[in-house]
Amino acid sequence: MRLLPLVALCCGISQLAAADSGSRPPNIVLLYADDIGWGDLGCYGAKVIPTPNLDRLAAQGTRFTAGYCTSATCTPSRYSLLTGEYAWRRQGTGVLPGDARLIIKPGRPTMAASLAKLGYATGVVGKWHLGLGSGEVDWNKKIDPSPNQIGFTYSFIMAATGDRVPTVFVEDGSVVGLDPKDPIEVSYKQAYPGDPDLTTDAERTKLKMDWSHGHNMALVNGVGRIGWMKGGQAALWNDETMGDTFADKACGFIARNKDKPFFLYYASHENHVPRVHHPRYAGKTPLGPRGDAVVAFDDQAGRILAELDKHGLAENTLVIYSSDNGPVLDDGYKDKAVELNKQAAHMPAGPFRGGKYSILEGGTRVGFIARWPGHTPVGKVSDALMSQVDLSAVFTKVAGGDPADFLKLDSVDTSAALSGGAGRETLISSTQGNLLSIRDARWKFISGVGVLGKGKKAQGPLVALLGSEADQANDSRDQSGPRLFDLQSDPGERDNVAQAHPEIVGRLKALLDAQRAKGVAQPLPK
Ligand code: NG6
Ligand code: CA
């Protein structure tokens, strides 16, 4: 008899605990790759790149075959990802230099701010590339605004890209490991006295990895970069250990926040140039540094997923994998990507043509995997149309919030697609030159000429991904007039069927024009 109240109490507590854990919204982990193409992962058909961790993630969740970043380069895709707005609506959202000011105005709704408002710890680790400060950043002082002013409660980032100065990490607005006696200066205008001239043969032969175009300004860790910098010797990053550092910081963030809901935006630098990574990855693929860097990315993803397992968090965590733009081979360094890729007959964009920079599918159609135990169908392959511009709304919804701020912009609430439901009806892709395309379940309409935009000819980095010479001749025949492709029967976008289907061209063009009419080239928020 005397035990009864105790039993009742115990049950009460355990029921409470169950209800409590049920009401805790899911953690959200976004594994975001750089320049990794649709066809670069084993689960998307890569034969020569082992990606066991991402393959497992796909097997445990849903793998989308029509997932898109919004733009064929980094800054605009990340802008859309975090704001829920297509970047082509704003001037100044193209690939930024390392000293650019922050292009997202503090106070504006962002993916991170929305989740922070719902009580999430929100961390970004890795490549930022959305600018810092409000112009003329002093790298020796606390940088404000930084990611911490637009919704992240923790940030450990590089300012721009691995090939752009400053080559230092910035944690919560401060350069990591900076010696105040050796202040940093950054210039995108001119070299500093004493800088080596990396255009001379004498200097080039000394480089760890020679450049093929651009990348001949600052010399850091034996590699040429874009822009110049001076000082900050003790703070300079090491390319070889960068991947481990980012994975350490990501795991640390998870461990510190395991008792409350958290959002981790893990923006890996893999496989952006320079592809200089830890020697333990050398030779993991027959593709040279480009393929080996994908293996490094998979390893980092594996460490983060293991950290979730270690704390018993995987069951209540939505994990999404995607990439900021399609693949590129030679992106400015002589890392043999073009030759080795050809030898191994690897298809970095899968069945699609084009890659980074291009309006063809290879530019923006990227890997997209979701795992959320109890929600995402296990082992499913889905052809639902998914866009990263929706993720601000989707994450807010999944966290129990109201996504209205993002739905007013370009986000669509496609959270149902994570549970096996429908995705978008249409989506828009863009290039740096603001060439736009719109697609629905079957058809794709490209507005404008070429694969890059008006007056832009495909150069070295892209040519190898455009297919045969006959394909390229075919592309240039279509330099004028509308282009329409049937993505179901012609995923390689070789057969322009615009003339045969004027009514479909008309319908898609009208939808695109209506989107444009909602606002184009509004000035960047001051
Ligand atoms: C280009 C760089 C390229 C890469 C790209 C941005 C040259 C010649 N090319 O200007 O190497 O840095 O910008 O890539 O310098 S992204 O993935 O961040 O968009
Ligand atoms: Ca990129």
Side-chain angles (χ1 to χ4, degrees):
M1 278 297 279
R2 293 201 59 207
L3 277 178
L4 263 180
L6 194 62
V7 170
L9 192 67
C10 285
C11 291
I13 286 171
S14 72
Q15 265 162 16
L16 202 70
D20 211 39
S21 74
S23 68
R24 172 173 163 170
N27 312 302
I28 300 169
V29 172
L30 176 58
L31 301 172
Y32 205 58
D34 198 350
D35 301 359
I36 291 186
W38 193 98
D40 278 325
L41 306 181
C43 54
Y44 280 89
K47 300 268 185 296
V48 294
I49 307 181
T51 54
N53 294 297
L54 291 159
D55 297 352
R56 193 173 345 105
L57 189 74
Q60 293 169 341
T62 295
R63 180 173 72 83
F64 292 89
T65 59
Y68 289 78
C69 51
T70 65
S71 168
T73 47
C74 166
T75 301
S77 283
R78 287 165 204 248
Y79 174 87
S80 298
L81 173 77
L82 294 187
T83 62
E85 179 180 63
Y86 284 131
W88 51 263
R89 294 194 190 283
R90 298 270 184 187
Q91 308 254 311
T93 53
V95 172
L96 293 176
D99 62 350
R101 70 187 174 97
L102 181 61
I103 59 169
I104 300 172
K105 186 184 177 184
R108 167 169 190 192
T110 65
M111 174 185 281
S114 168
L115 293 170
K117 233 197 268 172
L118 294 165
Y120 277 59
T122 52
V124 52
V125 173
K127 177 181 172 186
W128 182 241
H129 213 185
L130 290 165
L132 289 171
S134 41
E136 305 287 315
V137 171
D138 182 344
W139 301 92
N140 307 291
K141 297 199 177 119
K142 185 102 174 171
I143 299 162
D144 187 349
S146 78
N148 297 53
Q149 279 68 46
I150 61 162
F152 288 98
T153 60
Y154 174 68
S155 63
F156 186 97
I157 56 169
M158 64 165 69
T161 59
D163 57 344
R164 284 176 175 75
V165 299
T167 48
V168 295
F169 298 126
V170 179
E171 187 169 31
D172 291 331
S174 299
V175 171
V176 177
L178 182 67
D179 174 358
K181 293 197 288 297
D182 181 27
I184 294 182
E185 275 179 54
V186 170
S187 169
Y188 274 75
K189 294 198 182 79
Q190 63 209 22
Y192 291 99
D195 276 347
D197 180 355
L198 300 187
T199 63
T200 61
D201 285 347
E203 292 297 338
R204 287 182 80 163
T205 50
K206 290 192 256 168
L207 293 171
K208 191 181 284 180
M209 184 182 273
D210 196 6
W211 52 272
S212 57
H213 47 271
H215 307 112
N216 52 19
M217 296 163 231
L219 173 66
V220 183
N221 191 22
V223 180
R225 320 273 168 165
I226 307 173
W228 292 272
M229 72 181 285
K230 192 177 129 183
Q233 281 300 313
L236 298 180
W237 71 45
N238 179 278
D239 304 84
E240 286 83 349
T241 53
M242 177 185 290
D244 291 334
T245 302
F246 284 156
D248 287 346
K249 296 293 166 184
C251 291
F253 172 79
I254 292 172
R256 285 198 301 284
N257 293 291
K258 63 181 170 27
D259 297 325
K260 53 175 173 289
F262 61 82
F263 162 56
L264 169 66
Y265 168 34
Y266 184 70
S268 171
H269 190 252
E270 256 67 62
N271 66 8
H272 199 277
V273 295
R275 297 164 183 141
V276 175
H277 43 65
H278 196 279
R280 71 178 183 272
Y281 296 111
K284 289 281 179 197
T285 70
L287 303 175
R290 181 179 185 279
D292 298 347
V294 178
V295 176
F297 177 80
D298 185 74
D299 249 20
Q300 292 158 32
R303 281 196 54 198
I304 292 168
L305 296 171
E307 190 71 20
L308 295 175
D309 290 338
K310 179 174 146 192
H311 301 293
L313 296 167
E315 282 298 306
N316 192 33
T317 300
L318 165 62
V319 180
I320 301 260
Y321 158 81
S322 202
S323 180
D324 72 336
N325 52 251
V328 57
L329 299 174
D330 179 338
D331 206 12
Y333 292 92
K334 294 186 181 173
D335 57 13
K336 296 204 169 68
V338 176
E339 305 89 291
L340 294 172
N341 204 77
K342 195 165 176 199
Q343 268 172 35
H346 174 60
M347 307 277 279
F352 311 112
R353 284 199 306 129
K356 182 174 181 177
Y357 308 111
S358 88
I359 199 66
L360 298 181
E361 289 294 277
T364 53
R365 188 161 175 172
V366 288
F368 200 115
I369 303 169
R371 183 190 77 180
W372 186 13
H375 298 263
T376 45
V378 175
K380 184 180 156 101
V381 178
S382 167
D383 62 3
L385 272 189
M386 300 298 273
S387 171
Q388 293 171 13
V389 77
D390 300 335
L391 290 178
S392 287
V394 168
F395 290 171
T396 301
K397 179 80 176 287
V398 153
D402 176 1
D405 281 339
F406 304 113
L407 301 180
K408 276 190 270 190
L409 300 170
D410 294 306
S411 276
V412 171
D413 176 6
T414 48
S415 52
L418 300 180
S419 316
R424 282 180 154 250
E425 286 178 10
T426 60
L427 60 77
I428 296 174
S429 292
S430 64
T431 66
Q432 179 102 316
N434 279 349
L435 185 58
L436 302 184
S437 73
I438 184 165
R439 71 157 292 185
D440 64 13
R442 176 170 177 190
W443 304 99
K444 171 169 169 182
F445 168 71
I446 302 178
S447 147
V449 299
V451 293
L452 295 173
K454 203 170 177 181
K456 293 198 168 140
K457 210 174 159 311
Q459 303 281 338
L462 194 55
V463 168
L465 295 171
L466 288 174
S468 66
E469 278 174 25
D471 283 339
Q472 288 170 48
N474 191 22
D475 288 340
S476 43
R477 260 203 304 280
D478 291 331
Q479 288 281 321
S480 62
R483 276 175 288 172
L484 182 76
F485 297 105
D486 178 347
L487 291 175
Q488 272 167 17
S489 64
D490 179 26
E493 297 166 278
R494 290 182 168 90
D495 193 10
N496 180 2
V497 292
Q499 283 195 348
H501 297 285
E503 72 297 343
I504 298 169
V505 169
R507 176 172 60 83
L508 289 176
K509 184 174 180 310
L511 284 171
L512 186 58
D513 288 346
Q515 281 298 322
R516 277 203 173 108
K518 274 173 65 184
V520 183
Q522 299 161 27
L524 269 175
K526 285 271 165 358

